[in-house]
Amino acid sequence: MFQSFDTHASPAQGPARLAALRQVLAAEGLSGFLVPRADVHQGEYVAPRDERLQWLTGFTGSAGFCIVLPNIAGVFIDGRYRTQVKGQVDLAHFTPVPWPEISAGAWLKQNLPEGVVGFDPWLHTADEIAKIEAALDGTGVTLRACANQIDQIWPDQPPAPLGRAFAHPDNLAGETSGQKRSRLADSVQTAGQTAAVITLPDSLCWLLNIRGADVPRNPVLHGFAILHENAHVTLFADAAKFDDATRAHLGNEVLLRPISDFVPALRTLHGTVRVDRGTAPLAVSTELTASGITVAWGDDPCRLPKAKKTAAEIQGMREAHLRDGAAVVEFLYWLDQQAPNGSLSEIDVVRALEGFRRATNVLHDISFDTICGSGPNGAIMHYRVTEESNRAIGRNELLLVDSGAQYLDGTTDITRTIAVGDPGDYARACFTRVLQGTIAISRVRWPAGYTGRDLDPLARYALWLAGQDFNHGTGHGVGAFLSVHEGPQRLSRISEVPLEPGMILSNEPGYYREGEFGIRLENLIVVQPAPALPGGDDERNQLSFETLTFVPFDRRLILTAQLSAGDRDWLNTYHAEVLAKLTPRLSAEALAWCEAACAGL
């Protein structure tokens, strides 16, 4: 299996490691140290070598950081992890801090009268450090770039990953690497720059039409790249990851050099060099400035073009989602037969779902560890089942399953909440409100230029009317056989990136009652030009979403009277499409189940 159920960290190990870190900090003359979740590539998913936050604290979430001071160690977590963190850290030694409501700078001002706080400049962006320093201006607290203090006390730190790199076919990418490099180099030249530094693994993989295996679940390569104004690229990565075929795929305009050559290469650049202050390590701009090279802050040149998928990528995503949708329906049919017996555990469900995806014979990997939370575990938004936490699926409760797959032609991410027995009308009312949010996003048309922040409230409106909400964004960007979480596009209160055709996002409102249940419903959607309206007399340019995911919602959890006529029409049309698209792909038994699941309301 791709997914394991081992416990990766224990709260019991945290106090001793925290004491060792404080001893090292005192010897270095430091009053504190920043321990981020990120690696040098600012990735959400990191290799085992880079799990420093987890190693120190026990917290396994995909976002957050710790600030260690002499008398307090704050673990900063966002709304997704407020419940999870309580069971993963030793609360006598680590203090959860609600973030971003409380920023790192504000917390330091409150908890450290004066002193020097160290940080590894390869693990923090220029933007991140500048914000903390601005908050500390006028205080007795300063930041100091230094060696990584965690690495000094981690005796069995895993080695750097050595995953195999491989070519991604041009016909699936919809554009050759040479075409991409030429287009982006033109934008660099137009901006008066001589080069752009690329530090995000998914960016360099997209640019070069390659994929890798350095991070679990995401087919990316660890490395750095410099895009030169002549459209040539210098790629800094371990040569052992590349076989002859992949080297040939890179071509003569891509020079492969070892990682150790990256900093010396930065020092030899000239003119004005673009660096993304929000994604590149601070060390990059520091090295350039120290060598007298002008740094131009600007977006990673790959991020926006990568987000706007080509026609070939969108078609690949459509096919991947139909294949995956059929596998998920086979799973849901199986689950409906087995769950009422009371013999299934969360691990049984995860194994079965992966098995149905493997049965496609083209599964490359799962796109993240499956979240399978029954009853109260469903309220832990990013719950990962282990042998220790594994729970039997009880009768008359909700089961939340959030999962995805990596296929060569696309990445999927789908969540369904399922009734096991009769969870009661309160749960149905909450489920129906979440479904109304899903439908609202699916149906919306909007004038071009609007951002994810503008649309996010639509997913919450029905919940807000009932005094409810959820503590995560409505949707994240998704890559095409790349990272399941991709920027810069989002459906979120904090997103200011205009939505453009070709951008793929998740549509996943939810509702969570700690200790009782969790509800989340998720489809992937792609931004497209809105179809013309019959009799429309407004010529303004509008956009809309095309739904990519086709799997029925659990009709047993829908209070039909709570839906508007428009909601019902959309849902009936959607379920008719599910049945039409998946019928040729399903077994006879699963098809009969799907026909009942897609019956009109």
Side-chain angles (χ1 to χ4, degrees):
M1 284 194 70
F2 288 118
Q3 186 159 337
S4 75
F5 307 99
D6 300 330
T7 300
H8 292 160
S10 168
Q13 298 171 315
R17 292 172 178 175
L18 181 61
L21 177 58
R22 283 175 169 149
Q23 186 174 1
V24 169
L25 296 180
E28 292 288 329
L30 295 172
S31 301
F33 190 69
L34 308 182
V35 184
R37 173 60 166 58
D39 59 13
V40 298
H41 308 288
Q42 296 301 307
E44 178 179 355
Y45 298 96
V46 301
R49 173 182 181 79
D50 299 308
E51 291 279 11
R52 296 176 181 88
L53 180 64
Q54 175 182 296
W55 181 85
L56 176 67
T57 68
F59 173 63
T60 63
S62 64
F65 57 96
C66 180
I67 303 180
V68 176
L69 300 180
N71 298 312
I72 188 172
V75 180
F76 291 69
I77 34 82
D78 64 33
R80 297 170 293 174
Y81 299 111
R82 304 279 160 82
T83 301
Q84 177 177 324
V85 72
K86 298 173 186 176
Q88 290 193 319
V89 306
D90 186 326
L91 296 175
H93 293 82
F94 294 96
T95 302
V97 181
W99 167 72
E101 294 89 334
I102 299 177
S103 68
W107 188 84
L108 280 169
K109 286 173 66 174
Q110 180 179 355
N111 290 282
L112 186 65
E114 60 180 3
V116 178
V117 177
F119 70 95
D120 182 342
W122 285 99
L123 301 186
H124 300 270
T125 67
D127 193 43
E128 181 184 355
I129 295 302
K131 288 179 180 176
I132 299 175
E133 289 182 330
L136 296 176
D137 188 36
T139 72
V141 182
T142 58
L143 300 185
R144 179 199 299 169
C146 63
N148 195 292
Q149 304 296 298
I150 295 290
D151 294 355
Q152 296 188 39
I153 62 170
W154 190 351
D156 56 349
Q157 187 176 22
L162 271 177
R164 177 181 66 90
F166 56 98
H168 184 58
D170 292 345
N171 67 306
L172 292 179
E175 194 176 16
T176 68
S177 172
Q179 290 171 322
K180 293 177 181 179
R181 289 185 281 105
S182 178
R183 179 158 55 98
L184 269 57
D186 286 345
S187 71
V188 169
Q189 278 188 322
T190 300
Q193 298 155 2
T194 58
V197 178
I198 299 168
T199 62
L200 296 174
D202 59 336
S203 286
L204 67 87
C205 285
W206 174 85
L207 179 63
L208 301 177
N209 281 356
I210 59 174
R211 298 297 187 264
D214 283 335
V215 178
R217 316 294 174 243
N218 294 275
V220 297
L221 169 79
H222 273 174
F224 299 105
I226 298 173
L227 170 65
H228 302 279
E229 58 185 334
N230 63 356
H232 289 206
V233 165
T234 308
L235 172 63
F236 302 89
D238 195 317
K241 299 177 182 180
F242 295 81
D243 60 18
D244 291 342
T246 309
R247 284 176 179 258
H249 170 80
L250 290 175
N252 296 328
E253 295 182 349
V254 178
L255 175 64
L256 179 62
R257 295 174 61 179
I259 288 280
S260 58
D261 285 356
F262 178 54
V263 170
L266 290 176
R267 295 169 179 163
T268 64
L269 295 175
H270 65 279
T272 300
V273 175
R274 183 189 302 189
V275 178
D276 190 329
R277 67 178 299 146
T279 64
L282 174 62
V284 170
S285 53
T286 300
E287 290 289 348
L288 290 170
T289 301
S291 299
I293 300 162
T294 301
V295 172
W297 298 120
D299 291 339
D300 174 334
C302 303
R303 291 192 86 199
L304 192 56
K306 172 169 56 66
K308 296 187 289 186
K309 307 297 185 289
T310 64
E313 288 174 317
I314 293 172
Q315 185 55 39
M317 290 288 276
R318 291 187 184 113
E319 175 61 27
H321 278 79
L322 292 178
R323 180 190 310 120
D324 198 62
V328 174
V329 168
E330 296 282 355
F331 158 75
L332 290 174
Y333 162 69
W334 169 87
L335 183 66
D336 257 14
Q337 307 310 303
Q338 301 297 322
N341 300 329
S343 60
L344 291 181
S345 71
E346 293 167 337
I347 288 179
D348 294 331
V349 170
V350 173
R351 285 177 171 152
L353 178 52
E354 185 172 320
F356 285 108
R357 285 189 164 117
R358 283 183 176 275
T360 65
N361 296 317
V362 290
L363 180 67
H364 180 84
D365 198 345
I366 53 178
S367 56
F368 55 94
D369 282 351
T370 297
I371 299 167
C372 177
S374 63
N377 285 347
I380 304 172
M381 295 175 202
H382 279 204
Y383 170 68
R384 175 185 171 274
V385 60
T386 67
E387 296 286 357
E388 293 180 3
S389 71
N390 189 29
R391 181 179 184 275
I393 297 170
R395 294 181 174 87
N396 302 325
E397 66 181 17
L398 296 178
L399 175 66
L400 187 158
V401 182
D402 185 351
S403 67
Q406 294 282 11
Y407 303 103
L408 294 183
D409 52 2
T411 300
T412 72
D413 184 359
I414 174 175
T415 309
R416 290 295 183 264
T417 302
I418 304 129
V420 181
D422 181 3
D425 278 347
Y426 180 74
R428 288 188 181 88
C430 295
F431 179 95
T432 305
R433 292 183 196 112
V434 173
L435 178 60
Q436 287 177 289
T438 302
I439 294 172
I441 294 294
S442 303
R443 294 179 62 197
V444 67
R445 299 168 60 103
W446 70 94
Y450 279 37
T451 71
R453 179 188 61 192
D454 299 319
L455 303 187
D456 179 83
L458 297 174
R460 304 173 189 271
Y461 178 67
L463 289 163
W464 284 351
L465 290 179
Q468 298 172 333
D469 203 354
F470 53 94
N471 290 331
H472 56 75
T474 296
H476 54 82
V478 180
F481 189 45
L482 270 174
S483 300
V484 71
H485 287 178
E486 173 186 85
Q489 72 277 23
R490 299 171 69 181
L491 290 173
S492 165
R493 300 168 188 171
I494 62 174
S495 176
E496 297 182 352
V497 176
L499 298 175
E500 299 187 53
M503 289 181 170
I504 295 176
L505 304 104
S506 65
N507 171 12
E508 51 179 313
Y511 180 65
Y512 312 88
R513 287 183 67 86
E514 185 173 350
E516 296 185 36
F517 62 77
I519 298 166
R520 186 161 63 250
L521 301 172
E522 177 184 19
N523 285 345
L524 295 194
I525 51 181
V526 58
V527 181
Q528 298 280 24
L533 290 172
D537 59 0
D538 194 332
E539 296 182 355
R540 77 184 67 206
N541 182 24
Q542 285 196 314
L543 302 174
S544 62
F545 290 121
E546 172 193 338
T547 297
L548 297 173
T549 307
F550 290 97
V551 171
F553 297 101
D554 195 335
R555 294 171 73 255
R556 297 166 297 188
L557 289 170
I558 301 172
L559 296 179
T560 307
Q562 200 169 302
L563 299 177
S564 70
D567 291 338
R568 288 195 299 274
D569 289 345
W570 182 91
L571 189 60
N572 286 336
T573 299
Y574 174 76
H575 277 159
E577 284 188 87
V578 169
L579 192 59
K581 291 177 181 293
L582 297 189
T583 289
R585 300 170 180 261
L586 296 174
S587 66
E589 297 81 5
L591 176 57
W593 178 91
C594 192
E595 288 172 342
C598 292
L601 294 177

